[in-house]
Amino acid sequence: MPQSKTMSSSRKGAHNKWGGMTIRIIALAGSWVMLVLWALNPAIAQSNLFDGKTITYIVATKPGGGYDTMGRLVARYLEKYLPGSQVIVKNVPGAGHLVGAKMIYAADPDGLTIGSFNTGLMYWQLTADDLSELDLTKMSWIGKAAVESRVLVVSAKSNVKSLEDFHNVDHPVKMATSGQSSASHQETELLAKAFNLNIQIITGFEGTEAELSMMRGEVDAYLGSASSLKSFVDNGNGKIILEIGGKPGSPLPQASALAKTDEAKSIISLIETQSQLARLTAGPPGIPQDRLQPLRDAYMAAFADPGLIAEAEKLGLPIVPAAGDIVAERIRADFGQKPEILALLRDLLKDE
Amino acid sequence: MTVNGRIVTSLAMVMLFVFFVVQAFFFRHEAAMMPLLVGLPGFILSLAQLIVEIRPHGGRNKDEPIISGPEGTIILWIAGFTLGVIAFGFVLGAPLLLAAYLYFVAGERLSISVLGGGLCVAVMLGLERLLHIPLFEGLVIHHLL
Amino acid sequence: MLETSVSSLLGIFLSPHMMMLMTMGVSVGLFFGIMPGLGGKLGVIFLIPFVFGMDPIPGAVFLLAMHSVVHTSGAIPSILFGIPGTGPDAATIVDGYPMAQKGEAGRALGATLCASGIGGVIGALFLSLLMPFVGPIVLAFSPAEFFLLAVLGITFIAALSGDSLLKGLIVGLFGLIIATVGLDPNSGESRYTYGQLFLWDGIDPVTAVIAIFAIPEMIALAARGNLADDDDAGGFRYTMRDVWEGCLDVFRHWGLTLRTSIIGAVIGLIPGLGGDVASWLCYGHAVQSSKSPERFGKGAVEGVIAPETANNSKEGGALLPTLYFGIPGSSGMAILLGAFVMLGIQPGPRLATDQVDLVWALIWTLAIANILAVLLLLAMAPWLSRIASLRTGLLVPFIIVLSLLGCYLGAGAWQNFVLVLGLGALGWLFKKYDWPRPPFVIGIVLGPIAEDSFHKSMALWGPGFLLRPLSLVLLSIIVVTIALYIARTRRKAVPA
């Protein structure tokens, strides 16, 4: 069949391989799909402030993992308690939660952009020179979801069995941490300073790599969150020798009780704030009270919802919620400490 | 622009490695190790390749246009698509450009072009609404809202 | 044990409910695989709300069925369009796309489907056989071994350089140095980021692969023919006979198929290596072990079989540490693990003894899901052929949009598009002037692993880390690999 190979040939219907019929079917299907999608859109209505609005909940990590799971849980139940709204989760990973946090900070303060990030950014703020893009003391706090006490775990294979052993052995105790600028690294350094521990930090252990390394007997100890290390300890791979920020009545030795010097006490207090304010939800600075309060109320209602409590339990995420005003207070208190303490902490963290 | 494409490529590689190596000198020791370990041999090897290209090859090294006609068109369109999505996002920018390409470059009929654009919109909305994957909305749109 | 395994299999097969879940899971997985950038992780997240409230076994079966077939369909856009459906499917582009261009799209598809299916089944077998031995195997791989594995992979750069070793090395080194961009976890130094936060985590490999592979291919495709000409797309049309031919290829190369399935499963077993490593290492192995390596990169079917078996078998391997230790074998497994916990499954050594039925259900799911996926895709193959045979002009803009979408979904930051332009331009120059591109991906994928494990090894043991037993074994493999390569090139140069 002769084919004229010029451009104009395709404009004729004759050589159209797909034929008019197929095209029409696709057209129909396409427009139908679009109609359906449009119809699924929540109908715009009247009263409630967030009715018909879309709230973007930013999670400062990649999909999967604690922050993402909790964030999606929160998002779903917030939607329930802000009738008419739609809460979608947006993952903005990068730079150890900094990118996500900065994105929340830079958003319009209309209550339509909120999100979650690692409380560990407090350490970042202590040593940051430029707070124009992110200042935790100024954010509009909606609430926090959990308490994540820190535990110092020693490997079952290590010959370090207690805090005293740190001083007894003749070589630096090997401790694993995440990246150099991560919260895990900062806290390990701070802990070492607080208790005058002779340690050698080996960086670069992301996620569960530290646990594997302890199981292999390469590193002796690791400072991490209690919930993530629970199964490690339960399976007999390690022992907790110290806890920071534990619940009252916890059977584990508490760092706050063991801290002797003022310096040590400030350090432990800082880490304890971290652990008390786990799984934060915040919005950009300057959200007006008439929008912030409904968000806080919805947040607390969500966390009182038996459905959420049940789901959280199934997911192994213990919840100890508190509203935004409490969070704001605690953060202001920490950063409002006496300047000498802040300077001390800054030096400790900057000291490489 | 007639220039020898092979030389341009080798030169580009040399310059890239120079950049990486020079910058690495400003890093701390441990941070500079890998870039230097990789960058220095990279620089030497790409320099060698450049020399190989520059030497006369007996007829093989004809200067020829780097970008031929049809290539130029598609390159401009790819750049256009990219900038279009950066500016107007996936839900608006991509379908519009898609339809434009179909009509102006591929020479499809208007109905097909619009249909193509519509299909694109449907897919994007499907991802956003049904799968709850937020798509980039474009810088321009972001500033307008 | 045998009793439980059989009863568990029947439990799935004979239950319409389970088979329905399996089929739905597989369908969702195939969809998420075929759309560039979506992938298994997003698939699991999407399905989690649906499984909440299900019993553990059905829920786990559903999720695993979805997750294990993502790479089966992920190869389809790699072959037909040169865009990877998922990161690990990028290796399939190198020979799969040229096969399509040569008119062998059907054969490539058949090969990839069968390879994926067989790989998946072997992965399941691997899982079932190794369950009792998991602990010691996973623990045997320390940073020292990681480093040497990465170095071994890097030596493959030479093998993948095709005709020009010099250019290949340069490209490989370039990949390695691009991998250093970002915040160095070991020193805290920001390398080559210049205040751009989106670069802190490094250059996203999916973006890099799409830019270096897909964009130049698109330029070539669009520039080559008359966009309006129906005939011009003829090369991508295929028949079912071609597809069967591809399937048979997998059996013809049974040695390679078996080897790469096992290698893939082992790499999946080791937490921290990741899917890209499995497919590229196996691709490299295919090149190394071939009698005529010069065919690779131009449409050698082994170049499709090797990575595809590995892609699917690694899932079986990755389940081992995930179930046995609660330590995910990959980032996708991490999400799956979270979902399992939510369903009430407690990972740990006791799983193998207390919940044997669950473990067998998962093993069978892996096998059945993979077979089901292959059957479904084979049934859909004629339809795919229709799409592939569309006019170039119709396809090109969709491919461009899909590429951009894939980059965005992979990285999540619009600034990546600028990278796409830059790397795309470089990739196009590479393609035009015969610079081999696979070494770049090897560099960008293995670079971080090499550097990170080197630092850790030095910190843990000092330079003596090379003298550990397993390290010595790997070192000798590296030396032998290099020696073989040199011997082969000498042999080719001799007939003067």
Side-chain angles (χ1 to χ4, degrees), chain A residues 242-322:
Chain A
L242 186 72
E243 186 179 24
I244 309 179
K247 286 196 280 254
S250 162
L252 302 162
Q254 294 298 311
S256 46
L258 293 170
K260 301 291 174 238
T261 66
D262 278 339
E263 187 184 281
K265 290 198 213 284
S266 314
I267 291 176
I268 299 298
S269 163
L270 180 65
I271 302 183
E272 281 192 339
T273 308
Q274 283 287 300
S275 56
Q276 290 297 316
L277 298 177
R279 310 285 186 231
L280 297 159
T281 298
I287 296 185
Q289 194 63 18
D290 66 340
R291 292 197 169 214
L292 188 57
Q293 199 54 47
L295 283 170
R296 285 179 174 173
D297 293 336
Y299 187 86
M300 292 309 286
F303 276 90
D305 184 305
L308 181 140
I309 297 177
E311 275 194 61
E313 215 175 285
K314 267 200 163 181
L315 286 165
L317 297 170
I319 49 172
V320 182

Side-chain angles (χ1 to χ4, degrees), chain A residues 32-83:
Chain A
W32 192 82
V33 168
M34 277 158 64
L35 250 152
V36 168
L37 287 172
W38 177 82
L40 284 177
N41 214 345
I44 315 288
Q46 330 74 0
S47 47
N48 192 310
L49 223 83
F50 290 99
D51 203 348
K53 296 273 174 41
T54 305
I55 301 177
T56 307
Y57 191 98
I58 293 182
V59 170
T61 66
K62 283 202 263 241
Y67 285 92
D68 184 65
T69 318
M70 180 61 96
R72 286 172 194 270
L73 189 63
V74 170
R76 250 185 300 141
Y77 281 86
L78 267 182
E79 211 175 72
K80 184 170 166 185
Y81 290 96
L82 290 170

Side-chain angles (χ1 to χ4, degrees), chain C residues 15-187:
Chain C
S15 152
H17 177 60
M18 289 291 245
M19 284 311 282
M20 190 189 70
L21 280 178
M22 178 95 64
T23 314
M24 287 202 316
V26 167
S27 314
V28 174
L30 289 179
F31 173 72
F32 273 84
I34 209 173
M35 288 284 291
L38 283 185
K41 284 193 279 213
L42 282 174
V44 179
I45 293 179
F46 171 66
L47 286 182
I48 285 183
F50 293 100
V51 293
F52 186 70
M54 275 191 192
D55 287 326
I57 296 188
V61 164
F62 185 43
L63 288 174
L64 189 64
M66 190 280 307
H67 194 256
S68 36
V69 302
V70 158
H71 298 294
T72 311
S73 58
I76 296 180
S78 296
I79 294 173
L80 294 179
F81 307 126
I83 318 177
T86 69
D89 286 298
T92 317
I93 299 179
V94 183
D95 272 280
Y97 192 61
M99 277 183 82
Q101 288 173 315
K102 275 198 304 186
E104 292 192 311
R107 191 170 169 210
L109 277 178
T112 193
L113 290 181
C114 274
S116 298
I118 293 186
V121 169
I122 294 186
L125 197 63
F126 187 80
L127 170 61
S128 61
L129 291 175
L130 253 63
M131 196 72 182
F133 309 113
V134 163
I137 297 182
V138 170
L139 292 179
F141 281 87
S142 74
E145 285 74 39
F146 271 43
F147 172 68
L148 288 170
L149 271 173
V151 169
L152 178 63
I154 292 175
T155 59
F156 282 163
I157 289 180
L160 295 179
S161 301
D163 299 319
S164 169
L165 181 60
L166 184 56
K167 287 181 189 166
L169 285 175
I170 297 174
V171 173
L173 289 169
F174 181 61
L176 284 170
I177 211 166
I178 288 277
T180 62
V181 172
L183 186 62
D184 175 27
N186 285 300
S187 63

